[in-house]
Amino acid sequence: MLRVLLGVLITTAVASAVPAADEPRAENQTTIQVRSDALLKEFSDASRRGYEAEHKAKTDEERSKIPRPDGGAYAERLMAMAREHPDDPGAAAALSNAILIDPFGRSFPEAVKRLAEKHVKSPRIKEALQSISFAGTLPEVEPLLRAVLKDNPDAAARGEAALALVKYLTRMAKETNYLAANPEAYQRVIASSGQEAADRIKNRDSKAMLKEAETLLESVVEEHANVPYDEKQSLGERAATILHEMRELVVGKPAPEIEGKDVDGKPMKLSEHRGKVVVLSWWATWCSPCMALVPHERELVRRMEGKPFVLLGVNGDEDRGRLEHQMKANGVSWRSWYDGGPDGPISTRWNVTGWPTVYVLDRDGVIRYKGSLDVRSLDEAVDKLLPES
């Protein structure tokens, strides 16, 4: 799920960071920044061509021959620029672009460290903050996000830092609780990242982190209402959506209505299924973990036949033709709302940024389980609720 979530974030960030072909060069751009953005555009264009070719390919053999740009190699070229010109303002663009292109690659820790040391006040740092927020085991991450929030003169960068810090804190709160409850997981973190990193995650107050996250979101709603986040919404609107999910789309709260059209264009409402246990599954054909879950979902539908149960999808594909083909090829017989892409209106309202995301509702439409449930957890959630139906 993490890779898919990052993929969505990176696609959005790269699209906003890549300059348009006819965009005039700003007077304050340095040579390093111009070269860095040119490399980012080259990588983005190559990735897009590969994506388009994959959609046109008819067989796995054809898809296997499609050339893919080497993100690690591009990131290393960007890192070389930043190392050669560490004090150039354009180095911030080079480091941020390296993180966007190859998150968690070989150069990632160095890029984060260099940004923290020299480029906290650069407006270009905002493009990489969401990706950086995933690296909970790196000691530089939280201080970097807090420093950008405090000291960056750019309002958009400060707002983005606040949202990234919210994601960091909410994720760390979950990790803290998980490590506290699972000693074997704590030992795995020690083995992979060291004692200091494991203790930094485990020895936190998860409730305090979640409370701070809510306070940060409230401040963004109030202070950044008119600062653009993307072409659809402001930072304040984005923060309000996240805050709504944290407070309302939680276990024990009634699920809001979902109304739209399915893949065939027929009207579809969530409330039509009141009285049944409902599994809501956000999925897309471009999401490999989603497609890996399909065989189990198909078996779950078969096993629940004749019982007060329904599986409903929210699909994030843009290419309707490919979607219809894949549904037939993979035996997806249950209905899905067609949301038109990963940032469609349903996914946006529910603040779904990770694919797959699964909700399980009881017969009264109350959320009883939420998350990226594995197949065992999904079965347990459904089986536990059915006797109550």
Short mmCIF file of all heavy atoms in Angstrom, two decimals, residues 170-224:
data_model
loop_
_atom_site.label_atom_id
_atom_site.label_comp_id
_atom_site.label_asym_id
_atom_site.label_seq_id
_atom_site.Cartn_x
_atom_site.Cartn_y
_atom_site.Cartn_z
N THR A 170 0.24 11.25 12.62
CA THR A 170 -0.82 10.23 12.65
C THR A 170 -0.24 8.85 12.34
O THR A 170 -0.65 7.85 12.93
CB THR A 170 -1.93 10.57 11.66
OG1 THR A 170 -1.39 10.81 10.36
CG2 THR A 170 -2.68 11.82 12.11
N ARG A 171 0.70 8.82 11.41
CA ARG A 171 1.33 7.53 11.10
C ARG A 171 2.17 7.03 12.27
O ARG A 171 2.16 5.85 12.61
CB ARG A 171 2.20 7.68 9.85
CG ARG A 171 2.64 6.36 9.23
CD ARG A 171 3.36 6.58 7.92
NE ARG A 171 2.47 7.21 6.96
CZ ARG A 171 2.62 8.45 6.52
NH1 ARG A 171 3.60 9.20 6.97
NH2 ARG A 171 1.79 8.96 5.65
N MET A 172 2.91 7.95 12.90
CA MET A 172 3.74 7.57 14.04
C MET A 172 2.88 7.11 15.22
O MET A 172 3.26 6.21 15.96
CB MET A 172 4.64 8.73 14.46
CG MET A 172 5.74 9.04 13.46
SD MET A 172 6.98 7.72 13.35
CE MET A 172 7.84 7.96 14.89
N ALA A 173 1.71 7.73 15.41
CA ALA A 173 0.82 7.31 16.49
C ALA A 173 0.39 5.86 16.30
O ALA A 173 0.36 5.07 17.26
CB ALA A 173 -0.40 8.22 16.55
N LYS A 174 0.07 5.50 15.06
CA LYS A 174 -0.30 4.11 14.78
C LYS A 174 0.89 3.17 15.02
O LYS A 174 0.74 2.08 15.58
CB LYS A 174 -0.79 3.98 13.34
CG LYS A 174 -2.11 4.68 13.07
CD LYS A 174 -2.52 4.54 11.61
CE LYS A 174 -3.81 5.28 11.32
NZ LYS A 174 -4.18 5.21 9.89
N GLU A 175 2.06 3.60 14.56
CA GLU A 175 3.26 2.77 14.74
C GLU A 175 3.60 2.61 16.21
O GLU A 175 4.01 1.53 16.65
CB GLU A 175 4.44 3.38 13.98
CG GLU A 175 4.33 3.32 12.48
CD GLU A 175 4.35 1.89 11.97
OE1 GLU A 175 5.14 1.09 12.49
OE2 GLU A 175 3.56 1.57 11.06
N THR A 176 3.44 3.68 16.98
CA THR A 176 3.72 3.62 18.41
C THR A 176 2.83 2.58 19.09
O THR A 176 3.30 1.73 19.86
CB THR A 176 3.50 5.00 19.06
OG1 THR A 176 4.47 5.92 18.55
CG2 THR A 176 3.62 4.93 20.57
N ASN A 177 1.54 2.63 18.79
CA ASN A 177 0.61 1.67 19.38
C ASN A 177 0.91 0.25 18.91
O ASN A 177 0.81 -0.70 19.70
CB ASN A 177 -0.83 2.05 19.01
CG ASN A 177 -1.28 3.33 19.69
OD1 ASN A 177 -0.76 3.71 20.73
ND2 ASN A 177 -2.25 4.01 19.10
N TYR A 178 1.27 0.12 17.66
CA TYR A 178 1.54 -1.22 17.11
C TYR A 178 2.79 -1.83 17.74
O TYR A 178 2.78 -3.00 18.14
CB TYR A 178 1.71 -1.13 15.60
CG TYR A 178 1.88 -2.48 14.93
CD1 TYR A 178 0.80 -3.34 14.80
CD2 TYR A 178 3.12 -2.89 14.46
CE1 TYR A 178 0.94 -4.59 14.21
CE2 TYR A 178 3.27 -4.13 13.86
CZ TYR A 178 2.18 -4.97 13.74
OH TYR A 178 2.34 -6.20 13.16
N LEU A 179 3.85 -1.05 17.88
CA LEU A 179 5.08 -1.58 18.48
C LEU A 179 4.88 -1.90 19.95
O LEU A 179 5.45 -2.87 20.47
CB LEU A 179 6.23 -0.59 18.31
CG LEU A 179 6.73 -0.34 16.89
CD1 LEU A 179 8.03 0.46 16.91
CD2 LEU A 179 6.93 -1.63 16.11
N ALA A 180 4.08 -1.08 20.62
CA ALA A 180 3.82 -1.35 22.03
C ALA A 180 3.06 -2.66 22.22
O ALA A 180 3.27 -3.38 23.20
CB ALA A 180 3.03 -0.20 22.65
N ALA A 181 2.20 -2.99 21.27
CA ALA A 181 1.37 -4.19 21.38
C ALA A 181 2.01 -5.42 20.75
O ALA A 181 1.55 -6.54 20.97
CB ALA A 181 0.01 -3.95 20.73
N ASN A 182 3.08 -5.22 19.97
CA ASN A 182 3.71 -6.33 19.24
C ASN A 182 5.22 -6.32 19.43
O ASN A 182 5.94 -5.69 18.64
CB ASN A 182 3.36 -6.25 17.75
CG ASN A 182 1.89 -6.41 17.48
OD1 ASN A 182 1.38 -7.52 17.35
ND2 ASN A 182 1.18 -5.29 17.40
N PRO A 183 5.70 -6.99 20.49
CA PRO A 183 7.15 -7.00 20.76
C PRO A 183 7.98 -7.51 19.58
O PRO A 183 9.10 -7.04 19.37
CB PRO A 183 7.27 -7.95 21.96
CG PRO A 183 5.92 -7.90 22.61
CD PRO A 183 4.94 -7.73 21.50
N GLU A 184 7.42 -8.45 18.80
CA GLU A 184 8.20 -8.98 17.68
C GLU A 184 8.39 -7.91 16.60
O GLU A 184 9.44 -7.86 15.95
CB GLU A 184 7.51 -10.22 17.08
CG GLU A 184 6.20 -9.98 16.35
CD GLU A 184 5.00 -9.77 17.26
OE1 GLU A 184 5.18 -9.82 18.49
OE2 GLU A 184 3.89 -9.55 16.74
N ALA A 185 7.39 -7.04 16.42
CA ALA A 185 7.53 -5.95 15.46
C ALA A 185 8.58 -4.95 15.94
O ALA A 185 9.36 -4.41 15.14
CB ALA A 185 6.19 -5.25 15.26
N TYR A 186 8.62 -4.69 17.24
CA TYR A 186 9.63 -3.81 17.82
C TYR A 186 11.03 -4.36 17.55
O TYR A 186 11.93 -3.61 17.15
CB TYR A 186 9.37 -3.70 19.32
CG TYR A 186 10.41 -2.96 20.11
CD1 TYR A 186 10.68 -1.61 19.88
CD2 TYR A 186 11.12 -3.60 21.14
CE1 TYR A 186 11.63 -0.94 20.62
CE2 TYR A 186 12.06 -2.94 21.89
CZ TYR A 186 12.32 -1.60 21.63
OH TYR A 186 13.26 -0.95 22.36
N GLN A 187 11.20 -5.65 17.69
CA GLN A 187 12.50 -6.27 17.42
C GLN A 187 12.87 -6.17 15.94
O GLN A 187 14.04 -6.00 15.59
CB GLN A 187 12.50 -7.74 17.87
CG GLN A 187 12.40 -7.94 19.37
CD GLN A 187 13.55 -7.29 20.12
OE1 GLN A 187 14.70 -7.31 19.67
NE2 GLN A 187 13.23 -6.71 21.28
N ARG A 188 11.87 -6.25 15.06
CA ARG A 188 12.14 -6.13 13.62
C ARG A 188 12.64 -4.73 13.28
O ARG A 188 13.53 -4.56 12.43
CB ARG A 188 10.90 -6.46 12.81
CG ARG A 188 10.54 -7.94 12.78
CD ARG A 188 9.58 -8.27 11.64
NE ARG A 188 8.32 -7.58 11.76
CZ ARG A 188 7.27 -8.07 12.42
NH1 ARG A 188 7.34 -9.25 13.02
NH2 ARG A 188 6.13 -7.39 12.46
N VAL A 189 12.05 -3.71 13.92
CA VAL A 189 12.50 -2.35 13.67
C VAL A 189 13.93 -2.17 14.18
O VAL A 189 14.75 -1.52 13.53
CB VAL A 189 11.55 -1.33 14.32
CG1 VAL A 189 12.08 0.10 14.13
CG2 VAL A 189 10.16 -1.43 13.72
N ILE A 190 14.22 -2.74 15.32
CA ILE A 190 15.59 -2.68 15.84
C ILE A 190 16.56 -3.30 14.84
O ILE A 190 17.63 -2.74 14.54
CB ILE A 190 15.70 -3.41 17.20
CG1 ILE A 190 14.92 -2.65 18.28
CG2 ILE A 190 17.16 -3.57 17.62
CD1 ILE A 190 14.86 -3.35 19.61
N ALA A 191 16.18 -4.47 14.31
CA ALA A 191 17.06 -5.17 13.36
C ALA A 191 17.25 -4.39 12.07
O ALA A 191 18.35 -4.39 11.49
CB ALA A 191 16.49 -6.56 13.06
N SER A 192 16.21 -3.71 11.61
CA SER A 192 16.30 -3.03 10.32
C SER A 192 16.82 -1.59 10.42
O SER A 192 17.51 -1.11 9.53
CB SER A 192 14.92 -3.01 9.64
OG SER A 192 13.99 -2.29 10.43
N SER A 193 16.48 -0.90 11.54
CA SER A 193 16.79 0.52 11.63
C SER A 193 17.57 0.93 12.86
O SER A 193 17.97 2.09 12.98
CB SER A 193 15.49 1.35 11.57
OG SER A 193 14.76 1.05 10.41
N GLY A 194 17.77 0.00 13.80
CA GLY A 194 18.55 0.31 14.98
C GLY A 194 17.71 0.61 16.21
O GLY A 194 16.52 0.92 16.11
N GLN A 195 18.35 0.49 17.38
CA GLN A 195 17.67 0.68 18.65
C GLN A 195 17.10 2.09 18.81
O GLN A 195 15.98 2.28 19.27
CB GLN A 195 18.63 0.38 19.80
CG GLN A 195 18.01 0.44 21.19
CD GLN A 195 17.21 -0.80 21.50
OE1 GLN A 195 17.69 -1.91 21.33
NE2 GLN A 195 15.98 -0.62 21.97
N GLU A 196 17.89 3.09 18.40
CA GLU A 196 17.46 4.48 18.58
C GLU A 196 16.18 4.76 17.81
O GLU A 196 15.25 5.38 18.33
CB GLU A 196 18.58 5.42 18.12
CG GLU A 196 18.33 6.90 18.43
CD GLU A 196 17.46 7.60 17.38
OE1 GLU A 196 17.45 7.14 16.22
OE2 GLU A 196 16.78 8.58 17.75
N ALA A 197 16.12 4.28 16.56
CA ALA A 197 14.92 4.51 15.74
C ALA A 197 13.72 3.78 16.33
O ALA A 197 12.61 4.33 16.39
CB ALA A 197 15.17 4.05 14.32
N ALA A 198 13.92 2.55 16.77
CA ALA A 198 12.82 1.77 17.35
C ALA A 198 12.28 2.43 18.60
O ALA A 198 11.06 2.53 18.80
CB ALA A 198 13.30 0.35 17.66
N ASP A 199 13.18 2.92 19.47
CA ASP A 199 12.74 3.57 20.70
C ASP A 199 12.07 4.92 20.41
O ASP A 199 11.13 5.32 21.11
CB ASP A 199 13.92 3.78 21.63
CG ASP A 199 14.40 2.48 22.26
OD1 ASP A 199 13.63 1.50 22.23
OD2 ASP A 199 15.54 2.43 22.76
N ARG A 200 12.55 5.62 19.40
CA ARG A 200 11.94 6.91 19.05
C ARG A 200 10.49 6.73 18.60
O ARG A 200 9.65 7.61 18.81
CB ARG A 200 12.77 7.57 17.95
CG ARG A 200 12.27 8.93 17.52
CD ARG A 200 13.33 9.77 16.80
NE ARG A 200 14.30 8.97 16.12
CZ ARG A 200 14.17 8.48 14.88
NH1 ARG A 200 13.05 8.71 14.23
NH2 ARG A 200 15.14 7.80 14.31
N ILE A 201 10.20 5.60 17.99
CA ILE A 201 8.82 5.33 17.58
C ILE A 201 7.99 4.82 18.76
O ILE A 201 6.88 5.29 19.01
CB ILE A 201 8.78 4.29 16.45
CG1 ILE A 201 9.49 4.85 15.21
CG2 ILE A 201 7.35 3.90 16.11
CD1 ILE A 201 9.68 3.84 14.11
N LYS A 202 8.55 3.89 19.51
CA LYS A 202 7.79 3.23 20.57
C LYS A 202 7.51 4.14 21.76
O LYS A 202 6.41 4.12 22.33
CB LYS A 202 8.53 1.98 21.04
CG LYS A 202 7.78 1.19 22.10
CD LYS A 202 8.59 -0.02 22.55
CE LYS A 202 7.87 -0.78 23.65
NZ LYS A 202 8.67 -1.91 24.17
N ASN A 203 8.49 4.96 22.12
CA ASN A 203 8.37 5.73 23.35
C ASN A 203 7.75 7.11 23.10
O ASN A 203 8.31 8.14 23.45
CB ASN A 203 9.75 5.88 24.01
CG ASN A 203 10.35 4.54 24.38
OD1 ASN A 203 9.64 3.58 24.64
ND2 ASN A 203 11.68 4.47 24.39
N ARG A 204 6.59 7.12 22.47
CA ARG A 204 5.88 8.36 22.21
C ARG A 204 4.47 8.25 22.80
O ARG A 204 3.97 7.16 23.07
CB ARG A 204 5.75 8.61 20.69
CG ARG A 204 7.06 8.85 19.95
CD ARG A 204 7.66 10.21 20.21
NE ARG A 204 6.85 11.31 19.74
CZ ARG A 204 7.02 11.93 18.56
NH1 ARG A 204 7.97 11.52 17.74
NH2 ARG A 204 6.26 12.97 18.23
N ASP A 205 3.85 9.38 22.98
CA ASP A 205 2.47 9.45 23.46
C ASP A 205 1.57 9.56 22.23
O ASP A 205 1.46 10.64 21.63
CB ASP A 205 2.31 10.65 24.38
CG ASP A 205 0.92 10.74 25.01
OD1 ASP A 205 -0.04 10.18 24.43
OD2 ASP A 205 0.79 11.37 26.07
N SER A 206 0.93 8.48 21.84
CA SER A 206 0.14 8.47 20.61
C SER A 206 -1.04 9.44 20.70
O SER A 206 -1.39 10.10 19.71
CB SER A 206 -0.35 7.06 20.29
OG SER A 206 -1.16 6.56 21.34
N LYS A 207 -1.67 9.54 21.87
CA LYS A 207 -2.80 10.46 22.02
C LYS A 207 -2.36 11.91 21.85
O LYS A 207 -3.06 12.72 21.22
CB LYS A 207 -3.47 10.26 23.37
CG LYS A 207 -4.20 8.93 23.52
CD LYS A 207 -4.89 8.83 24.86
CE LYS A 207 -5.64 7.50 24.98
NZ LYS A 207 -6.32 7.37 26.30
N ALA A 208 -1.19 12.24 22.38
CA ALA A 208 -0.68 13.60 22.25
C ALA A 208 -0.35 13.93 20.80
O ALA A 208 -0.60 15.05 20.32
CB ALA A 208 0.56 13.79 23.12
N MET A 209 0.18 12.94 20.06
CA MET A 209 0.49 13.16 18.65
C MET A 209 -0.77 13.41 17.84
O MET A 209 -0.82 14.30 16.99
CB MET A 209 1.27 11.97 18.09
CG MET A 209 2.73 11.93 18.53
SD MET A 209 3.72 10.69 17.64
CE MET A 209 3.23 9.20 18.51
N LEU A 210 -1.82 12.64 18.10
CA LEU A 210 -3.07 12.82 17.37
C LEU A 210 -3.72 14.16 17.73
O LEU A 210 -4.30 14.82 16.86
CB LEU A 210 -4.02 11.67 17.68
CG LEU A 210 -3.60 10.30 17.13
CD1 LEU A 210 -4.56 9.22 17.60
CD2 LEU A 210 -3.51 10.32 15.61
N LYS A 211 -3.62 14.55 18.98
CA LYS A 211 -4.17 15.84 19.39
C LYS A 211 -3.42 16.98 18.70
O LYS A 211 -4.04 17.95 18.22
CB LYS A 211 -4.06 15.99 20.92
CG LYS A 211 -4.62 17.31 21.45
CD LYS A 211 -6.10 17.46 21.14
CE LYS A 211 -6.65 18.74 21.73
NZ LYS A 211 -8.09 18.94 21.36
N GLU A 212 -2.10 16.88 18.63
CA GLU A 212 -1.33 17.92 17.93
C GLU A 212 -1.70 17.96 16.46
O GLU A 212 -1.78 19.03 15.85
CB GLU A 212 0.17 17.68 18.09
CG GLU A 212 0.98 18.78 17.43
CD GLU A 212 2.48 18.56 17.46
OE1 GLU A 212 2.93 17.50 17.94
OE2 GLU A 212 3.22 19.47 17.01
N ALA A 213 -1.91 16.78 15.86
CA ALA A 213 -2.28 16.73 14.44
C ALA A 213 -3.59 17.49 14.20
O ALA A 213 -3.71 18.25 13.23
CB ALA A 213 -2.42 15.28 13.98
N GLU A 214 -4.57 17.31 15.07
CA GLU A 214 -5.84 18.03 14.93
C GLU A 214 -5.63 19.54 15.07
O GLU A 214 -6.20 20.32 14.32
CB GLU A 214 -6.84 17.54 15.97
CG GLU A 214 -7.42 16.16 15.68
CD GLU A 214 -8.68 15.90 16.50
OE1 GLU A 214 -9.47 16.84 16.69
OE2 GLU A 214 -8.87 14.74 16.92
N THR A 215 -4.80 19.94 16.03
CA THR A 215 -4.53 21.36 16.24
C THR A 215 -3.85 21.97 15.01
O THR A 215 -4.18 23.09 14.60
CB THR A 215 -3.64 21.55 17.48
OG1 THR A 215 -4.30 21.01 18.63
CG2 THR A 215 -3.35 23.02 17.72
N LEU A 216 -2.92 21.22 14.43
CA LEU A 216 -2.25 21.70 13.21
C LEU A 216 -3.25 21.89 12.07
O LEU A 216 -3.20 22.89 11.35
CB LEU A 216 -1.17 20.71 12.79
CG LEU A 216 0.13 20.73 13.59
CD1 LEU A 216 0.96 19.48 13.29
CD2 LEU A 216 0.94 21.99 13.28
N LEU A 217 -4.15 20.94 11.91
CA LEU A 217 -5.14 21.04 10.85
C LEU A 217 -6.05 22.24 11.07
O LEU A 217 -6.40 22.96 10.12
CB LEU A 217 -5.96 19.76 10.78
CG LEU A 217 -5.22 18.54 10.23
CD1 LEU A 217 -6.03 17.27 10.45
CD2 LEU A 217 -4.91 18.70 8.74
N GLU A 218 -6.45 22.47 12.31
CA GLU A 218 -7.30 23.62 12.61
C GLU A 218 -6.59 24.92 12.24
O GLU A 218 -7.20 25.86 11.70
CB GLU A 218 -7.67 23.63 14.08
CG GLU A 218 -8.64 22.52 14.48
CD GLU A 218 -8.82 22.38 15.97
OE1 GLU A 218 -7.98 22.93 16.73
OE2 GLU A 218 -9.78 21.73 16.39
N SER A 219 -5.28 24.98 12.50
CA SER A 219 -4.53 26.20 12.17
C SER A 219 -4.42 26.40 10.67
O SER A 219 -4.48 27.53 10.18
CB SER A 219 -3.14 26.14 12.81
OG SER A 219 -2.33 25.16 12.20
N VAL A 220 -4.27 25.30 9.91
CA VAL A 220 -4.20 25.42 8.45
C VAL A 220 -5.54 25.89 7.89
O VAL A 220 -5.59 26.73 6.99
CB VAL A 220 -3.77 24.08 7.80
CG1 VAL A 220 -3.81 24.19 6.28
CG2 VAL A 220 -2.37 23.68 8.25
N VAL A 221 -6.63 25.33 8.42
CA VAL A 221 -7.97 25.77 7.97
C VAL A 221 -8.14 27.26 8.19
O VAL A 221 -8.67 27.98 7.32
CB VAL A 221 -9.07 24.99 8.73
CG1 VAL A 221 -10.44 25.60 8.46
CG2 VAL A 221 -9.05 23.52 8.34
N GLU A 222 -7.66 27.75 9.31
CA GLU A 222 -7.84 29.16 9.66
C GLU A 222 -6.87 30.08 8.93
O GLU A 222 -7.25 31.15 8.45
CB GLU A 222 -7.67 29.34 11.18
CG GLU A 222 -7.88 30.77 11.66
CD GLU A 222 -7.76 30.90 13.16
OE1 GLU A 222 -7.80 29.87 13.86
OE2 GLU A 222 -7.64 32.04 13.64
N GLU A 223 -5.61 29.65 8.80
CA GLU A 223 -4.56 30.55 8.32
C GLU A 223 -4.25 30.41 6.83
O GLU A 223 -3.62 31.29 6.25
CB GLU A 223 -3.27 30.31 9.12
CG GLU A 223 -3.42 30.60 10.61
CD GLU A 223 -2.20 30.15 11.40
OE1 GLU A 223 -1.15 29.90 10.78
OE2 GLU A 223 -2.31 30.02 12.64
N HIS A 224 -4.67 29.31 6.21
CA HIS A 224 -4.29 29.07 4.81
C HIS A 224 -5.52 28.82 3.94
O HIS A 224 -5.45 28.07 2.96
CB HIS A 224 -3.33 27.88 4.72
CG HIS A 224 -2.02 28.11 5.41
ND1 HIS A 224 -1.86 27.96 6.76
CD2 HIS A 224 -0.82 28.46 4.92
CE1 HIS A 224 -0.60 28.21 7.08
NE2 HIS A 224 0.06 28.52 5.98
#
